Amino acid sequence: MKTLSRIAVATTLLGTSLFANPDTMQQETYDSIVKTGNDVTTTLIQTLGKNLKQHLKSDGPLGAAKFCSTQAFPLTDTVSAQYGKAIHVKRISLKERNPANAAEGSEKTVLEALQTLQNNGVVLPKYLVARVDANTAKYYKPLRINKKVCLKCHGAVSKNAKLATFIKSRYPNDKAIGYTMGDLRGAIVVTIKQ
Ligand code: HEC
C-alpha cells in the first residue's frame, strides 16, 4: 500500500512537472511562443493568400506563378520585419520548388516525422514547438494542400504547357509538382528568440 501511494505521488509529480514544463519549457514561455507563432503564420498565410488570389484572378495561373516567383520571398520578409528582430518566418518543404525553401537539419527531421505520421493516418497537429537552444524556439505550422487551387501549380502541372515551361525554366530542380489534395506540402517555421 505504501509503495503504491509512493508511486502515485511520483506519477503525480512527474505529470505536473511535465505539464508545467513541456520539453523543459515553462508553460508561460510555451504559451507565448504558440501565440506569436499563431499570429505570424496567420499574417503570412493571409498576405500570400490574398496576393495569390488577386493575381490568379487578374493574370491567371501563369501570371500568378510569375508573381509568386519574384514576390513570395519579399512578402515573407516583410511579414518577418513587421514582428521585429526577435522573429523570423519562412516556408520549408521536403519537395521544394525554390531551393531556398529546402528544409535543413532539424527542420528536415521535423518534416520527415510529420510525413511519417501523415502516411500512417495520423491527423496532423495544428502546430509544433521545438526548443533550439536556451533562448531560441521554433514554431512549426504544417501546411497541407488544402485547396484545389494549389493543384494548379503543385498538381498535374503538365496540363498547362505554358505554366509547366515557365516553372521548369525558373526552377530547373522543381520538386513541388504531382501533389494531390490533402498531401503534406511543407511547413511555415517561425523562429522566436526570447
Ligand atoms: C499560381 C501558381 C501557384 C499556386 C496556385 C500555388 N503555388 Fe505554391 N508556389 C508557387 C511558386 C512559383 C513557388 C516558388 C516561389 C516561392 O514561393 O518561393 C511556390 C512555393 C510554395 C511553397 C514554398 C516551398 C517551395 O516549394 O518552395 C509552399 C509551402 C507552397 N508554395 C504552398 C502552396 C499552397 C499550400 C498552395 C495552395 C493554397 C499553393 N502553394 C498554391 C506557385 C503556386
Side-chain angles (χ1 to χ4, degrees), residues 60-63 65-66 97 151-153 155-170 174 177:
L62 178 60
K66 284 182 178 164
R97 171 153 294 162
L151 298 175
K152 283 192 193 294
C153 300
V157 174
S158 57
K159 279 192 207 157
N160 182 335
K162 278 189 182 155
L163 178 64
T165 307
F166 166 72
I167 291 175
K168 198 73 206 156
S169 66
R170 175 72 176 76
D174 181 34
I177 53 168

Side-chain angles (χ1 to χ4, degrees), residues 63-115:
K66 284 182 178 164
F67 173 83
C68 284
S69 74
T70 62
Q71 296 308 312
F73 251 91
L75 283 171
T76 305
D77 288 343
T78 307
V79 172
S80 264
Q82 196 178 319
Y83 286 90
K85 285 206 172 107
I87 308 278
H88 181 258
V89 63
K90 63 176 181 176
R91 297 157 306 145
I92 58 168
S93 179
L94 291 172
K95 281 178 56 180
E96 73 281 356
R97 171 153 294 162
N98 190 330
N101 295 328
E104 287 169 343
S106 59
E107 292 170 353
K108 197 169 173 204
T109 311
V110 170
L111 274 190
E112 282 168 354
L114 287 169
Q115 186 63 64

Side-chain angles (χ1 to χ4, degrees), residues 16 34 56 99 125 144 152 156 161 171 194:
T16 316
V34 169
L56 277 170
R144 292 167 60 236
K152 283 192 193 294
Y171 305 100
Q194 279 125 16

